[in-house]
Amino acid sequence: MRIGYGFDSHEFQPGIPLRIGGIALAHDHGLGGHSDGDVLLHAITDALLGAVAAPDIGALFPPSDPKWKGADSVVFLREALKRVRDAGYAVANIDARLILAAPKIGPHAGAIRRRVAQLLDIDLNCVGLKAKTPEGLNTENTAIAHVVVLLAETKTARRRKKIRG
Ligand SMILES: [Zn+2]
């Protein structure tokens, strides 16, 4: 088993699309910064990379590289997932926490969980998602994501190890 932890934050900016967990949410502000600003997919990506001791998202996809400007964060997640699989692991489950003042995540939680489950190729009941408002944090203009992920060694990897002794 392996455990991974990911954290990310992005600032809200007016007039840009909002994407969280690979889903477009209707809102008057979006998340600026690196790529499409998908704070949840970035935290999941970093959790996956951390679990296999790979370099983090900023090292693999530098924000300074114009190539990643406005990029679909699914690309980052897929690369992290590939590294997890190459290391002989599969995702067992993830648990995520979003902290943001608006919009309300509740009505979109089902869609976000379904999309994340699909991207990670795991069952819906293996994707935990909770959201809260930033009480006392003074981060009203920021979206924050914390993610933990558990990886399990695949049968093929176990078999290979056994043969090698
Ligand atoms: Zn990010």
Side-chain angles (χ1 to χ4, degrees):
M1 296 276 202
R2 292 275 185 126
I3 193 164
Y5 168 72
F7 167 86
D8 196 27
S9 65
H10 283 260
E11 195 178 9
F12 280 104
Q13 289 172 7
I16 58 171
L18 176 62
R19 288 188 78 80
I20 296 183
I23 297 284
L25 303 188
H27 194 49
D28 55 355
H29 284 59
L31 294 172
H34 195 20
S35 67
D36 63 3
D38 195 321
V39 68
L40 180 56
L41 291 195
H42 293 180
I44 295 172
T45 299
D46 253 351
L48 292 171
L49 292 170
V52 292
D56 72 9
I57 188 170
L60 293 180
F61 309 100
S64 53
D65 189 338
K67 190 169 149 189
W68 306 119
K69 188 157 171 43
D72 185 347
S73 296
V74 167
V75 171
F76 309 151
L77 186 76
R78 293 225 161 99
E79 173 61 24
L81 202 53
K82 183 184 176 294
R83 284 171 183 250
V84 162
R85 286 173 177 156
D86 288 351
Y89 290 89
V91 178
N93 77 300
I94 81 158
D95 190 17
R97 162 72 74 183
L98 286 167
I99 306 168
L100 71 177
K104 282 210 179 321
I105 293 301
H108 310 286
I112 294 173
R113 288 179 59 225
R114 276 193 296 279
R115 178 66 176 141
V116 169
Q118 179 198 38
L119 287 170
L120 295 175
D121 196 19
I122 57 178
D123 288 343
L124 185 59
N125 67 7
C126 296
V127 179
L129 175 68
K130 301 156 290 16
K132 75 182 293 298
T133 49
E135 260 84 20
L137 292 176
N138 280 321
T139 56
E140 268 63 23
N141 204 40
T142 307
I144 296 169
H146 294 270
V147 170
V148 285
V149 59
L150 187 71
L151 306 183
E153 209 173 7
T154 55
K155 277 194 193 100
T156 358
R158 273 203 301 276
R159 214 178 301 132
R160 225 181 290 139
K161 225 179 251 173
K162 218 178 189 175
I163 293 165
R164 257 193 260 127

